[in-house]
Amino acid sequence: MAAPAHSTGTRAGRHAIRGHDLLQWRRQQLSRGGQAAGLDWLLDLEGGMGWQQLQQLRLHPETLLHLQVPLERLEALWQRHCNGQEPLQYLVGQCPWRDLTLQVAPGVLIPRQETELLVDLALAIWAGAGSPDGPRRWADLGTGSGCLALALALAWPQSQGHAIDRSTEALRQAAANLNSQGLEHRVQLLEGEWWMPLQPHWGALDLVVSNPPYIPRWVWQGLEPVVRDHEPALALVGGDDGLEALRAIASAAALALAPGGWLLLEHHHDQSAAVLELLRAGGLVEVTPHPDLEGQWRFASARRAPERP
């Protein structure tokens, strides 16, 4: 069988290829390793070939297509992914998340789909508080790529946000993502451990969200190499029991939150009971678990008791 024709450049900077050649190329790549979903993701994000368009090729393989990059680049990236287990998001430099496309790079955690639900939870809780403009002041502890801070700043243009991380590299990436949306003046980036950089605002934080490192060390050691060997352990490992960061956040929350202020956390799928107990021990009230898309208890909410009238 002849090898598929390489894509050829066009004057618009796009690369023409027939559908049957692209499908043959795709089969060849998958025969060398990797998952079909990953290769299709690469074709979409780097090549500009959406999943629906790819499915239509099976009915109309004679279609002339135009890729954003030559096949040689896509093949090189795919082989790096297969041979070295490098995350495709790092290789492409971006990650779709919620309705955003975030810049990502080695040294910064790749945003996960389930973390999108933490934004939905924040919006739902604040909608129930009856303030259409959002909280006056909110914070994101352990911001990483800045995904949560970016989503909240877009949802609440009248609010002041703070994004905290102990990684300079993460703060640099968060700054790039905030700048891409013109939000750099509405979210203050602070370097340090959890609540400490926010001390000037203790007692005035209406809402705080966090997706901290929560994977127990022994679980992390058994993760797939694409995660364990490439994404930062600093953003993944929560100590021997996975609760180290969650314990630190819960213990100081009643001091840092405003009266009636909310704390929303993401945690490991089997940590719900332990996290709820940490929140109660920290003096918070209305402690509540929340499920992820698969029905697992993945999130928790709690608040500082409101002041009595």
Side-chain angles (χ1 to χ4, degrees):
M1 180 182 294
H6 287 177
S7 55
T8 58
T10 70
R11 62 177 179 271
R14 293 171 68 82
H15 303 267
I17 184 172
R18 291 289 176 186
H20 52 71
D21 288 331
L22 181 62
L23 292 172
Q24 184 179 345
W25 176 87
R26 180 179 178 276
R27 288 192 294 270
Q28 287 181 342
Q29 300 311 306
L30 290 174
S31 72
R32 299 169 183 167
Q35 300 294 319
L39 183 55
D40 292 346
W41 187 95
L42 179 63
L43 279 167
D44 185 2
L45 267 292
E46 185 73 359
M49 181 62 51
W51 183 86
Q52 188 172 8
Q53 189 177 6
L54 190 61
Q55 301 310 304
Q56 291 173 347
L57 290 184
R58 293 175 170 83
L59 298 175
H60 304 286
E62 74 286 353
T63 303
L64 180 65
L65 309 167
H66 293 90
L67 298 173
Q68 292 176 353
V69 298
L71 280 183
E72 290 85 354
R73 171 166 173 76
L74 294 172
E75 185 167 338
L77 293 176
W78 185 246
Q79 290 309 305
R80 284 181 62 181
H81 171 66
C82 292
N83 296 336
Q85 296 297 299
E86 294 181 64
L88 288 169
Q89 292 90 337
Y90 288 163
L91 293 173
V92 172
Q94 58 181 318
C95 177
W97 188 82
R98 207 167 168 83
D99 55 352
L100 304 165
T101 299
L102 301 168
Q103 300 176 43
V104 293
V108 179
L109 187 70
I110 297 168
R112 268 45 175 196
Q113 182 183 15
E114 59 262 25
T115 304
E116 297 180 16
L117 296 180
L118 197 56
V119 177
D120 294 334
L121 182 58
L123 297 180
I125 283 179
W126 208 258
S131 176
D133 294 331
R136 289 167 297 178
R137 189 178 299 276
W138 56 265
D140 172 20
L141 305 184
T143 194
S145 66
C147 59
L148 290 171
L150 183 57
L152 294 180
L154 288 170
W156 295 322
Q158 305 303 316
S159 294
Q160 175 62 50
H162 307 274
I164 289 81
D165 209 290
R166 54 182 170 173
S167 164
T168 302
E169 202 167 3
L171 290 174
R172 189 181 303 117
Q173 191 72 76
N177 282 314
L178 289 165
N179 292 348
S180 71
Q181 298 289 331
L183 298 173
E184 62 272 19
H185 301 301
R186 295 205 2 248
V187 180
Q188 181 186 28
L189 296 171
L190 298 169
E191 185 172 352
E193 292 274 346
W194 309 123
W195 299 105
M196 296 309 295
L198 288 166
Q199 277 190 312
H201 305 294
W202 279 20
L205 296 165
D206 299 310
L207 174 75
V208 175
V209 300
S210 184
N211 175 24
Y214 54 68
I215 299 177
R217 194 177 311 279
W218 66 271
V219 174
W220 171 79
Q221 291 170 342
L223 293 178
E224 294 292 329
V226 70
V227 176
R228 185 194 62 226
D229 297 345
H230 293 282
E231 294 194 67
L234 184 70
L236 290 168
V237 181
D240 291 339
D241 63 357
L243 296 170
E244 189 175 283
L246 289 157
R247 197 175 284 116
I249 294 170
S251 65
L255 291 174
L257 292 170
W262 287 93
L263 173 64
L264 311 182
L265 298 172
E266 181 175 334
H267 54 73
H268 206 242
H269 65 83
D270 58 358
Q271 292 173 337
S272 181
V275 171
L276 298 182
E277 182 55 36
L278 287 173
L279 294 171
R280 293 189 188 100
L284 300 184
V285 299
E286 298 183 42
V287 178
T288 307
H290 302 272
D292 61 17
L293 292 172
E294 296 180 353
Q296 305 231 41
W297 299 116
R298 174 76 66 172
F299 308 99
S301 65
R303 68 192 306 204
R304 178 179 169 181
E307 290 182 336
R308 295 181 179 179

